[in-house]
Amino acid sequence: MVRPSAAGDLDAVSLETALLDTWKNENAFESSIGSSKDGAPFIFLEGPPTANGKPGIHHVVARAYKDLVCRWKTMEGFLVQRKGGWDTHGLPVEIEVQKRLDLMSNESIEEFGMQAFNDACRESVWTYESAWREMTERMAYWVDLDNPYVTLDNNYVESCWWALKQMFDKNLLYRGHKVLPYCPQTGTSYSSHEVALGYKEVEEPSVYIKFKLTDDDASILAWTTTPWTLPGNVGLAVGPEVTYARCRIREEPEGWKGRGGARVGEELILAKDLMGEVLRHHVDIIEEIPGSALVGRSYEPLFPGAVPRGDSDTAWTVLSADWVTTTDGTGVVHTAVMYGEDDYNLGMEVGLPAYHTVGMNGHFVPGIHPQLDGRYVKECDDSVMEILVGQNENVSSGLLYREKSYLHDYPHCWRTDHPLLYYAMDSWFVRMTAVKERLLEFNDGVEWAPDWVGEGRFGEWIRNVKDWAISRERYWGTPLPVWRDEDGNMKCIGSIAELQEEVAKAKAAGIENPDCPADVDLHRPVVDGFTLVSEHGKPMKREPFVMDCWFDSGCAPFAQWHHPFDEENTFDSSFPVDYICEGVDQTRGWFYTLLAVSTTVFDSPAYKRCLSLGLILDAEGKKMSKSKGNIVDPWDHFNREGADATRWYMVTAGAPWNPLKFDSNGVRETYAKMFLTLWNVYRFHADYAALDGFDPETQPLPVEERSRLDRWILSKLHTTARAYHEGFTSWNFHKACRDLEDFIVNDLSNWYVRRSRRRLWDEAESNDKLACQHTLHEVLITLSKLIAPVSPFMVDTIHRNLTGTSVHLADWPVGTPGSIEGATADVWDETRCEATTNLPPQDSQLENEMELVRELAETGRRIRIDAQRRQRLPCAEGFIVAGPNLEPYHDLLSEELNVETISIETDLDRFQQIALAVNFRALAPKAKGDVNAIANELKGNEDPEALLADIKAGNCIIMGVAIEESDVEVRRTERDGFAAATVTLGEGDEAQHVSLVLDMQDTPELLSKGLARDITRRIQSKRKDLNLEIEATIDVDVWMTNAPELFADDQEWIAKETRASGIAFNSDNAPEGTENFDVDGAHISYRVQSN
RNA sequence: GCGCGGGUGGCUUAGUCGGUUAGAGCACCCGGCUGAUAACCGGGAGGUCGCAGGUUCAAGUCCUGCCUCGCGCACCA
């Protein structure tokens, strides 16, 4: 049998840390899963974080929402497995290690040794693992960190290989040569979602260059923002439909700034529409030429010999390209085949020579120009211009027309901040464009929260899908399992067994190979060591790439189970997953790669529901980032307000998908308001329960037989719980939790407990006291369950003390659909689910009446303030006018209002008059523009009673409009001279106007009672100051002057209320040193002594 | 430049289908209540609802344009 023990003061932090130990000892997490092991599965997939950075508060937010849903679904009876995961490959890890070991180039890494480097990476990924683990445990994110999936594990890599082979076999994986954003510092190209991470606004020089025609004195003017690509120029593209102008310089302009220029008489060709933008000289237009007429004309190379002509007959000629526009530049596009996507495609099409003028290290190759050879291209802008201006005899002089700084967003490396170069390179791609329709289809089936992320942002991304550049010329990652011979024959290896087989085959063919054991490390450089053999007997080397690390995490749904190599078929029953939840920044990241992999490998979506969280901003609305140093340390709050308050704050601060301005004061507020209040309610119950030896297993009084107050709070609990649940199912966790908090603070604490205090003070056993205890008991238990998914600590302490069991093993009070046989996470029997709900009876009439009663109690206080009558001085009578019959609440109301009796008064006119107002919704359509005038007419009417009668009789026409009863609203106001007020409940036709009137007359009896209450309150306050036990008795002396008579009954009442064993009332002056106060002209002194 | 989401007292925010006096919380001031907690109740002060137009009897809400913040896309020549 469980009997609650007393609660004591709240120390949230030690409460939580003590529970962490308890949970650990009890294996609470495992038990919570075990408790629903027969339930329908609800599959959650953890997006793997990288543990080579310190976790911040923004990570806590994501984990809070993951945990919330998993705990909630578990309580609903679903089996929710939660495997942890770590993302361990990729550039961030390499960069970190490179920095630490000072290996900032690929050469130095290879010099250092790839094995040693990768060993360092393997170690580095765990740098902050313990910090992550501690954070995860402290916030009570229940996830299995003891058996996580780790992307560097051989099993994981093997599954990735398998997936790649599926793509390869479907011809969705191909080797290509494309212009990609490339970072020479990291030696790696990027896919579009990584490039998106690094756009920065920069001001760079742009140049207008003269390309001199070979058979003509004129030059074609072209523009570029990347002067370093000019040595690679092999063509000029014009728009066939664009009109170009040949113009002759008439005179020098005034105030020329910068380098470049043109002689008078020189002739330039450019798009006619752009002349004004580009030309600084006054010119004469000699001729207008359609673009198509320029095509085929040849011009002199800018840097003769920089690019060999080869067998190209189109090099250094004007080419036609329909993508050329006149929105900026000159309408002529300088084409350097290797350094622009359009350039490359055009070059391939028309047969331009494709040679690099820039090496993979970002420096010019030898033989370009003596001033440029071997230099980093981004530092050569100036030299290129100098050369073109004609300072060097090796090139034709005066080819620079103009320089102009240009402000634009340019992609930068998201790791090193260096500008990326568009660079033609070998790369591997996944043919995402081939499965675009399927991507769109699958995305349509996903339940996105919020829906606009799926339809808008993500949908847009997919509609513009590009082939996924998936290979990286790096070291630390999942190696690309493709081997290739010199003729281009390829093999994709999909498993270790296959690798072993192929190695054996190669050995048999006479190719030397190291051993390939079953536990061969699937990383570089080990896998590079194997040479396979092609069907034609030629040696095959591995393509020297590793995978984009986003590919790894995209494989998580199956690679975490080592699919298809595991034998338990865990994967088949857990795919696609039911729920994922990450920050909105994963739209192009994980959300995409999951879908990309599942579509190409399984022709299936990867997830059914996706909660996309808003960004976490600091208190000033700035994004939290390491570089800004504005990351909030979660421990600041774990150690102050605790994880409960931190989590509750996060959920209630706004919609999950909205950006959250993380405000430390908000956490404090949540603690003080929500958790302290909840604790004190609990404490009130637990302390008396312990004192009285309350046994929750005694047969409780049936709810119907309990007091109205009990029935009310139980009904209200039911209503609140249902709405809370609705909020959860519609992803409106914030609204749900705000409303629940309101229930706890206002309904439970400020009304139910406040009104119930005296019931528990009663020392004798009584049905009423028992009813109150059972009610509180039930409310607290249900509340604990509702709160548990969001803030799992305090409620577990409460639940354990009240029931002896953990709340995390409890059923969701609104129903357990997961426990229904044959249910799935998507479909269950609503009727049978309803039968599993466990909520007290609902009584909406009672809820409405109580709301009115509370309104009236507040109204009473307002009346007294208006009438300047102090709260403790009783009134003889209070009148309630109109409204429902509140007789059952008269006792309650008379206490709240401090009146002797409550009466029902039906004669409204005794206290009130009416006023008429327009019902705009009804009248406006009829009255149109006159509606406001009519409103004023009604408002200003001197005899609203008569007017109302007219309206009712259909005799009222104002400004030509017949006013009907439905066109007006009747409002009641108090007549002058009454201490009264009116409350309005409901809206529109159902609005109720109820008035409260207080009798303000004094009698000696009332004055005596009021005085008694004032004295009592002072003494009680003194008792509190003296820190007296509740049961302690005292001696009291009171001296009163100019006071109303204090009747014997009231003297006794004071003694009883204050537990005074001796009390003396004197009418003379008090001795020195006693405490005193004045009330309504009376002077009271008193002395309290503990005995 | 294109798209999405914001902009409401000092701060955090609610505001449904366009409807009467824009609602809370924190902080502030005054008063009250309390064996009721870091609480509670009443009152006060504090709002050009980003700006400007428009539709309408009526706009925080709908439309257009602009400003601004965040995010995403495209930024090529």
Side-chain angles (χ1 to χ4, degrees), chain A residues 44 46-47 56-69 132 139 141 579 581-583 611 613-614 616 650:
Chain A
F44 165 71
E46 158 85 335
I57 199 82
H58 45 305
H59 299 112
V60 178
V61 177
R63 309 205 130 204
Y65 280 106
K66 292 177 184 184
D67 195 46
L68 189 169
V69 172
W132 274 85
M139 71 170 286
Y141 172 38
Y579 171 63
C581 165
E582 305 290 334
L611 175 54
L613 302 174
I616 311 306
M650 287 168 171

PDB file of all heavy atoms in Angstrom, chain A residues 44 46-47 56-69 132 139 141 579 581-583 611 613-614 616 650:
ATOM      1  N   PHE A  44      10.812   6.151 -34.629  1.00  0.00           N
ATOM      2  CA  PHE A  44      11.485   7.439 -34.571  1.00  0.00           C
ATOM      3  C   PHE A  44      12.895   7.271 -35.096  1.00  0.00           C
ATOM      4  O   PHE A  44      13.536   6.244 -34.862  1.00  0.00           O
ATOM      5  CB  PHE A  44      11.529   7.932 -33.128  1.00  0.00           C
ATOM      6  CG  PHE A  44      12.503   9.056 -32.906  1.00  0.00           C
ATOM      7  CD1 PHE A  44      12.236  10.319 -33.405  1.00  0.00           C
ATOM      8  CD2 PHE A  44      13.684   8.849 -32.202  1.00  0.00           C
ATOM      9  CE1 PHE A  44      13.133  11.352 -33.214  1.00  0.00           C
ATOM     10  CE2 PHE A  44      14.587   9.884 -32.008  1.00  0.00           C
ATOM     11  CZ  PHE A  44      14.318  11.138 -32.516  1.00  0.00           C
ATOM     12  N   GLU A  46      16.567   9.184 -35.125  1.00  0.00           N
ATOM     13  CA  GLU A  46      17.378  10.272 -34.590  1.00  0.00           C
ATOM     14  C   GLU A  46      18.328  10.781 -35.657  1.00  0.00           C
ATOM     15  O   GLU A  46      19.082  10.010 -36.253  1.00  0.00           O
ATOM     16  CB  GLU A  46      18.176   9.718 -33.394  1.00  0.00           C
ATOM     17  CG  GLU A  46      19.430  10.478 -33.028  1.00  0.00           C
ATOM     18  CD  GLU A  46      19.188  11.649 -32.106  1.00  0.00           C
ATOM     19  OE1 GLU A  46      18.057  12.186 -32.103  1.00  0.00           O
ATOM     20  OE2 GLU A  46      20.117  12.022 -31.387  1.00  0.00           O
ATOM     21  N   GLY A  47      18.268  12.065 -35.907  1.00  0.00           N
ATOM     22  CA  GLY A  47      19.244  12.667 -36.807  1.00  0.00           C
ATOM     23  C   GLY A  47      20.563  12.764 -36.076  1.00  0.00           C
ATOM     24  O   GLY A  47      20.630  13.324 -34.999  1.00  0.00           O
ATOM     25  N   GLY A  56      25.007  23.172 -27.513  1.00  0.00           N
ATOM     26  CA  GLY A  56      24.450  24.414 -26.990  1.00  0.00           C
ATOM     27  C   GLY A  56      22.961  24.267 -26.735  1.00  0.00           C
ATOM     28  O   GLY A  56      22.383  23.202 -26.943  1.00  0.00           O
ATOM     29  N   ILE A  57      22.351  25.360 -26.311  1.00  0.00           N
ATOM     30  CA  ILE A  57      20.936  25.315 -25.943  1.00  0.00           C
ATOM     31  C   ILE A  57      20.078  24.963 -27.161  1.00  0.00           C
ATOM     32  O   ILE A  57      19.009  24.370 -27.032  1.00  0.00           O
ATOM     33  CB  ILE A  57      20.489  26.653 -25.325  1.00  0.00           C
ATOM     34  CG1 ILE A  57      19.195  26.481 -24.522  1.00  0.00           C
ATOM     35  CG2 ILE A  57      20.287  27.737 -26.370  1.00  0.00           C
ATOM     36  CD1 ILE A  57      19.411  25.968 -23.142  1.00  0.00           C
ATOM     37  N   HIS A  58      20.547  25.324 -28.366  1.00  0.00           N
ATOM     38  CA  HIS A  58      19.756  25.018 -29.558  1.00  0.00           C
ATOM     39  C   HIS A  58      19.660  23.513 -29.781  1.00  0.00           C
ATOM     40  O   HIS A  58      18.687  23.037 -30.353  1.00  0.00           O
ATOM     41  CB  HIS A  58      20.308  25.732 -30.787  1.00  0.00           C
ATOM     42  CG  HIS A  58      21.793  25.661 -30.950  1.00  0.00           C
ATOM     43  ND1 HIS A  58      22.674  26.068 -29.970  1.00  0.00           N
ATOM     44  CD2 HIS A  58      22.557  25.242 -31.977  1.00  0.00           C
ATOM     45  CE1 HIS A  58      23.909  25.899 -30.406  1.00  0.00           C
ATOM     46  NE2 HIS A  58      23.874  25.393 -31.619  1.00  0.00           N
ATOM     47  N   HIS A  59      20.659  22.782 -29.340  1.00  0.00           N
ATOM     48  CA  HIS A  59      20.561  21.331 -29.445  1.00  0.00           C
ATOM     49  C   HIS A  59      19.555  20.783 -28.443  1.00  0.00           C
ATOM     50  O   HIS A  59      18.902  19.775 -28.692  1.00  0.00           O
ATOM     51  CB  HIS A  59      21.934  20.690 -29.219  1.00  0.00           C
ATOM     52  CG  HIS A  59      22.956  21.116 -30.235  1.00  0.00           C
ATOM     53  ND1 HIS A  59      24.035  21.901 -29.912  1.00  0.00           N
ATOM     54  CD2 HIS A  59      23.030  20.893 -31.573  1.00  0.00           C
ATOM     55  CE1 HIS A  59      24.745  22.122 -31.011  1.00  0.00           C
ATOM     56  NE2 HIS A  59      24.157  21.537 -32.029  1.00  0.00           N
ATOM     57  N   VAL A  60      19.455  21.458 -27.304  1.00  0.00           N
ATOM     58  CA  VAL A  60      18.496  21.020 -26.292  1.00  0.00           C
ATOM     59  C   VAL A  60      17.073  21.175 -26.833  1.00  0.00           C
ATOM     60  O   VAL A  60      16.214  20.324 -26.602  1.00  0.00           O
ATOM     61  CB  VAL A  60      18.667  21.827 -24.988  1.00  0.00           C
ATOM     62  CG1 VAL A  60      17.630  21.405 -23.959  1.00  0.00           C
ATOM     63  CG2 VAL A  60      20.078  21.636 -24.431  1.00  0.00           C
ATOM     64  N   VAL A  61      16.833  22.239 -27.556  1.00  0.00           N
ATOM     65  CA  VAL A  61      15.491  22.465 -28.093  1.00  0.00           C
ATOM     66  C   VAL A  61      15.072  21.318 -29.007  1.00  0.00           C
ATOM     67  O   VAL A  61      13.997  20.739 -28.863  1.00  0.00           O
ATOM     68  CB  VAL A  61      15.424  23.799 -28.869  1.00  0.00           C
ATOM     69  CG1 VAL A  61      14.053  23.983 -29.473  1.00  0.00           C
ATOM     70  CG2 VAL A  61      15.756  24.958 -27.954  1.00  0.00           C
ATOM     71  N   ALA A  62      15.950  20.977 -29.943  1.00  0.00           N
ATOM     72  CA  ALA A  62      15.616  19.900 -30.880  1.00  0.00           C
ATOM     73  C   ALA A  62      15.383  18.607 -30.117  1.00  0.00           C
ATOM     74  O   ALA A  62      14.430  17.866 -30.389  1.00  0.00           O
ATOM     75  CB  ALA A  62      16.739  19.733 -31.900  1.00  0.00           C
ATOM     76  N   ARG A  63      16.217  18.347 -29.150  1.00  0.00           N
ATOM     77  CA  ARG A  63      16.089  17.099 -28.407  1.00  0.00           C
ATOM     78  C   ARG A  63      14.823  17.104 -27.552  1.00  0.00           C
ATOM     79  O   ARG A  63      14.243  16.046 -27.306  1.00  0.00           O
ATOM     80  CB  ARG A  63      17.332  16.866 -27.552  1.00  0.00           C
ATOM     81  CG  ARG A  63      18.602  17.005 -28.386  1.00  0.00           C
ATOM     82  CD  ARG A  63      19.801  16.255 -27.842  1.00  0.00           C
ATOM     83  NE  ARG A  63      20.342  15.495 -28.945  1.00  0.00           N
ATOM     84  CZ  ARG A  63      21.068  14.397 -28.840  1.00  0.00           C
ATOM     85  NH1 ARG A  63      21.386  13.930 -27.669  1.00  0.00           N
ATOM     86  NH2 ARG A  63      21.478  13.765 -29.907  1.00  0.00           N
ATOM     87  N   ALA A  64      14.432  18.264 -27.090  1.00  0.00           N
ATOM     88  CA  ALA A  64      13.208  18.341 -26.282  1.00  0.00           C
ATOM     89  C   ALA A  64      11.992  17.927 -27.120  1.00  0.00           C
ATOM     90  O   ALA A  64      11.134  17.177 -26.653  1.00  0.00           O
ATOM     91  CB  ALA A  64      13.017  19.753 -25.737  1.00  0.00           C
ATOM     92  N   TYR A  65      11.943  18.385 -28.353  1.00  0.00           N
ATOM     93  CA  TYR A  65      10.798  18.026 -29.192  1.00  0.00           C
ATOM     94  C   TYR A  65      10.848  16.566 -29.638  1.00  0.00           C
ATOM     95  O   TYR A  65       9.813  15.923 -29.787  1.00  0.00           O
ATOM     96  CB  TYR A  65      10.716  18.942 -30.416  1.00  0.00           C
ATOM     97  CG  TYR A  65      10.092  20.275 -30.101  1.00  0.00           C
ATOM     98  CD1 TYR A  65      10.857  21.428 -30.007  1.00  0.00           C
ATOM     99  CD2 TYR A  65       8.718  20.380 -29.871  1.00  0.00           C
ATOM    100  CE1 TYR A  65      10.290  22.656 -29.708  1.00  0.00           C
ATOM    101  CE2 TYR A  65       8.137  21.596 -29.571  1.00  0.00           C
ATOM    102  CZ  TYR A  65       8.924  22.731 -29.492  1.00  0.00           C
ATOM    103  OH  TYR A  65       8.354  23.944 -29.201  1.00  0.00           O
ATOM    104  N   LYS A  66      12.056  16.060 -29.856  1.00  0.00           N
ATOM    105  CA  LYS A  66      12.165  14.645 -30.188  1.00  0.00           C
ATOM    106  C   LYS A  66      11.641  13.809 -29.027  1.00  0.00           C
ATOM    107  O   LYS A  66      10.835  12.891 -29.197  1.00  0.00           O
ATOM    108  CB  LYS A  66      13.633  14.281 -30.439  1.00  0.00           C
ATOM    109  CG  LYS A  66      14.238  14.891 -31.678  1.00  0.00           C
ATOM    110  CD  LYS A  66      15.722  14.510 -31.763  1.00  0.00           C
ATOM    111  CE  LYS A  66      16.375  15.190 -32.960  1.00  0.00           C
ATOM    112  NZ  LYS A  66      17.777  14.764 -33.128  1.00  0.00           N
ATOM    113  N   ASP A  67      12.121  14.170 -27.845  1.00  0.00           N
ATOM    114  CA  ASP A  67      11.788  13.404 -26.653  1.00  0.00           C
ATOM    115  C   ASP A  67      10.299  13.485 -26.344  1.00  0.00           C
ATOM    116  O   ASP A  67       9.658  12.497 -25.996  1.00  0.00           O
ATOM    117  CB  ASP A  67      12.606  13.954 -25.482  1.00  0.00           C
ATOM    118  CG  ASP A  67      12.613  13.021 -24.298  1.00  0.00           C
ATOM    119  OD1 ASP A  67      12.825  11.822 -24.504  1.00  0.00           O
ATOM    120  OD2 ASP A  67      12.393  13.494 -23.170  1.00  0.00           O
ATOM    121  N   LEU A  68       9.771  14.682 -26.490  1.00  0.00           N
ATOM    122  CA  LEU A  68       8.359  14.916 -26.189  1.00  0.00           C
ATOM    123  C   LEU A  68       7.476  13.943 -26.962  1.00  0.00           C
ATOM    124  O   LEU A  68       6.630  13.254 -26.398  1.00  0.00           O
ATOM    125  CB  LEU A  68       8.047  16.374 -26.563  1.00  0.00           C
ATOM    126  CG  LEU A  68       6.737  17.028 -26.209  1.00  0.00           C
ATOM    127  CD1 LEU A  68       6.855  18.520 -26.469  1.00  0.00           C
ATOM    128  CD2 LEU A  68       5.564  16.482 -26.961  1.00  0.00           C
ATOM    129  N   VAL A  69       7.687  13.890 -28.264  1.00  0.00           N
ATOM    130  CA  VAL A  69       6.830  13.047 -29.090  1.00  0.00           C
ATOM    131  C   VAL A  69       7.055  11.565 -28.769  1.00  0.00           C
ATOM    132  O   VAL A  69       6.097  10.797 -28.666  1.00  0.00           O
ATOM    133  CB  VAL A  69       7.068  13.335 -30.585  1.00  0.00           C
ATOM    134  CG1 VAL A  69       6.342  12.332 -31.459  1.00  0.00           C
ATOM    135  CG2 VAL A  69       6.599  14.751 -30.918  1.00  0.00           C
ATOM    136  N   TRP A 132      28.149  15.759 -24.898  1.00  0.00           N
ATOM    137  CA  TRP A 132      26.840  15.490 -25.490  1.00  0.00           C
ATOM    138  C   TRP A 132      26.053  14.506 -24.646  1.00  0.00           C
ATOM    139  O   TRP A 132      24.854  14.667 -24.418  1.00  0.00           O
ATOM    140  CB  TRP A 132      27.010  14.926 -26.897  1.00  0.00           C
ATOM    141  CG  TRP A 132      27.136  16.005 -27.925  1.00  0.00           C
ATOM    142  CD1 TRP A 132      28.268  16.645 -28.289  1.00  0.00           C
ATOM    143  CD2 TRP A 132      26.080  16.578 -28.689  1.00  0.00           C
ATOM    144  NE1 TRP A 132      27.986  17.586 -29.247  1.00  0.00           N
ATOM    145  CE2 TRP A 132      26.650  17.559 -29.507  1.00  0.00           C
ATOM    146  CE3 TRP A 132      24.695  16.350 -28.764  1.00  0.00           C
ATOM    147  CZ2 TRP A 132      25.906  18.316 -30.398  1.00  0.00           C
ATOM    148  CZ3 TRP A 132      23.951  17.111 -29.659  1.00  0.00           C
ATOM    149  CH2 TRP A 132      24.555  18.080 -30.453  1.00  0.00           C
ATOM    150  N   MET A 139      19.168  16.497 -19.521  1.00  0.00           N
ATOM    151  CA  MET A 139      17.874  17.039 -19.951  1.00  0.00           C
ATOM    152  C   MET A 139      16.824  15.942 -20.042  1.00  0.00           C
ATOM    153  O   MET A 139      15.670  16.205 -20.341  1.00  0.00           O
ATOM    154  CB  MET A 139      18.003  17.731 -21.299  1.00  0.00           C
ATOM    155  CG  MET A 139      18.227  16.789 -22.472  1.00  0.00           C
ATOM    156  SD  MET A 139      18.075  17.629 -24.057  1.00  0.00           S
ATOM    157  CE  MET A 139      16.291  17.847 -24.147  1.00  0.00           C
ATOM    158  N   TYR A 141      16.679  13.454 -22.201  1.00  0.00           N
ATOM    159  CA  TYR A 141      16.314  12.992 -23.539  1.00  0.00           C
ATOM    160  C   TYR A 141      16.581  11.499 -23.559  1.00  0.00           C
ATOM    161  O   TYR A 141      17.722  11.074 -23.508  1.00  0.00           O
ATOM    162  CB  TYR A 141      17.148  13.716 -24.592  1.00  0.00           C
ATOM    163  CG  TYR A 141      16.987  13.177 -25.992  1.00  0.00           C
ATOM    164  CD1 TYR A 141      15.752  12.748 -26.464  1.00  0.00           C
ATOM    165  CD2 TYR A 141      18.061  13.116 -26.862  1.00  0.00           C
ATOM    166  CE1 TYR A 141      15.606  12.254 -27.744  1.00  0.00           C
ATOM    167  CE2 TYR A 141      17.930  12.625 -28.149  1.00  0.00           C
ATOM    168  CZ  TYR A 141      16.697  12.194 -28.585  1.00  0.00           C
ATOM    169  OH  TYR A 141      16.564  11.720 -29.866  1.00  0.00           O
ATOM    170  N   TYR A 579       8.490   9.329 -37.668  1.00  0.00           N
ATOM    171  CA  TYR A 579       8.706  10.681 -37.149  1.00  0.00           C
ATOM    172  C   TYR A 579      10.171  11.055 -37.169  1.00  0.00           C
ATOM    173  O   TYR A 579      11.024  10.287 -36.705  1.00  0.00           O
ATOM    174  CB  TYR A 579       8.184  10.733 -35.712  1.00  0.00           C
ATOM    175  CG  TYR A 579       8.495  11.988 -34.921  1.00  0.00           C
ATOM    176  CD1 TYR A 579       7.991  13.221 -35.320  1.00  0.00           C
ATOM    177  CD2 TYR A 579       9.274  11.937 -33.770  1.00  0.00           C
ATOM    178  CE1 TYR A 579       8.262  14.363 -34.594  1.00  0.00           C
ATOM    179  CE2 TYR A 579       9.539  13.074 -33.024  1.00  0.00           C
ATOM    180  CZ  TYR A 579       9.036  14.284 -33.446  1.00  0.00           C
ATOM    181  OH  TYR A 579       9.307  15.414 -32.715  1.00  0.00           O
ATOM    182  N   CYS A 581      12.543  14.841 -36.572  1.00  0.00           N
ATOM    183  CA  CYS A 581      12.411  16.204 -36.060  1.00  0.00           C
ATOM    184  C   CYS A 581      13.788  16.829 -36.000  1.00  0.00           C
ATOM    185  O   CYS A 581      14.679  16.314 -35.318  1.00  0.00           O
ATOM    186  CB  CYS A 581      11.793  16.145 -34.658  1.00  0.00           C
ATOM    187  SG  CYS A 581      11.954  17.670 -33.714  1.00  0.00           S
ATOM    188  N   GLU A 582      13.981  17.901 -36.763  1.00  0.00           N
ATOM    189  CA  GLU A 582      15.268  18.604 -36.743  1.00  0.00           C
ATOM    190  C   GLU A 582      15.014  20.074 -37.045  1.00  0.00           C
ATOM    191  O   GLU A 582      13.906  20.473 -37.375  1.00  0.00           O
ATOM    192  CB  GLU A 582      16.227  18.039 -37.810  1.00  0.00           C
ATOM    193  CG  GLU A 582      16.485  16.540 -37.737  1.00  0.00           C
ATOM    194  CD  GLU A 582      17.320  16.114 -36.533  1.00  0.00           C
ATOM    195  OE1 GLU A 582      18.107  16.939 -36.008  1.00  0.00           O
ATOM    196  OE2 GLU A 582      17.171  14.954 -36.076  1.00  0.00           O
ATOM    197  N   GLY A 583      16.052  20.857 -36.977  1.00  0.00           N
ATOM    198  CA  GLY A 583      15.951  22.268 -37.295  1.00  0.00           C
ATOM    199  C   GLY A 583      15.670  22.474 -38.775  1.00  0.00           C
ATOM    200  O   GLY A 583      16.009  21.637 -39.610  1.00  0.00           O
ATOM    201  N   LEU A 611       8.802  17.159 -38.291  1.00  0.00           N
ATOM    202  CA  LEU A 611       8.650  18.425 -37.568  1.00  0.00           C
ATOM    203  C   LEU A 611       9.898  19.255 -37.818  1.00  0.00           C
ATOM    204  O   LEU A 611      11.005  18.858 -37.456  1.00  0.00           O
ATOM    205  CB  LEU A 611       8.460  18.163 -36.067  1.00  0.00           C
ATOM    206  CG  LEU A 611       8.395  19.380 -35.154  1.00  0.00           C
ATOM    207  CD1 LEU A 611       7.335  20.367 -35.601  1.00  0.00           C
ATOM    208  CD2 LEU A 611       8.117  18.955 -33.717  1.00  0.00           C
ATOM    209  N   LEU A 613      11.883  22.456 -37.043  1.00  0.00           N
ATOM    210  CA  LEU A 613      11.934  23.443 -35.960  1.00  0.00           C
ATOM    211  C   LEU A 613      12.527  24.759 -36.422  1.00  0.00           C
ATOM    212  O   LEU A 613      13.437  24.779 -37.253  1.00  0.00           O
ATOM    213  CB  LEU A 613      12.775  22.901 -34.811  1.00  0.00           C
ATOM    214  CG  LEU A 613      12.311  21.583 -34.210  1.00  0.00           C
ATOM    215  CD1 LEU A 613      13.318  21.092 -33.190  1.00  0.00           C
ATOM    216  CD2 LEU A 613      10.952  21.760 -33.568  1.00  0.00           C
ATOM    217  N   GLY A 614      12.029  25.833 -35.854  1.00  0.00           N
ATOM    218  CA  GLY A 614      12.572  27.152 -36.166  1.00  0.00           C
ATOM    219  C   GLY A 614      13.961  27.324 -35.585  1.00  0.00           C
ATOM    220  O   GLY A 614      14.384  26.584 -34.703  1.00  0.00           O
ATOM    221  N   ILE A 616      17.009  28.858 -33.455  1.00  0.00           N
ATOM    222  CA  ILE A 616      17.125  29.403 -32.107  1.00  0.00           C
ATOM    223  C   ILE A 616      17.982  30.666 -32.190  1.00  0.00           C
ATOM    224  O   ILE A 616      19.116  30.640 -32.647  1.00  0.00           O
ATOM    225  CB  ILE A 616      17.778  28.390 -31.148  1.00  0.00           C
ATOM    226  CG1 ILE A 616      17.093  27.043 -31.279  1.00  0.00           C
ATOM    227  CG2 ILE A 616      17.716  28.907 -29.727  1.00  0.00           C
ATOM    228  CD1 ILE A 616      15.606  27.066 -31.097  1.00  0.00           C
ATOM    229  N   MET A 650      10.880  26.192 -23.394  1.00  0.00           N
ATOM    230  CA  MET A 650      11.126  26.074 -24.834  1.00  0.00           C
ATOM    231  C   MET A 650       9.843  25.756 -25.595  1.00  0.00           C
ATOM    232  O   MET A 650       9.619  26.261 -26.694  1.00  0.00           O
ATOM    233  CB  MET A 650      12.124  24.943 -25.088  1.00  0.00           C
ATOM    234  CG  MET A 650      13.525  25.305 -24.691  1.00  0.00           C
ATOM    235  SD  MET A 650      14.547  23.845 -24.699  1.00  0.00           S
ATOM    236  CE  MET A 650      16.143  24.616 -24.471  1.00  0.00           C
TER     237      MET A 650
END
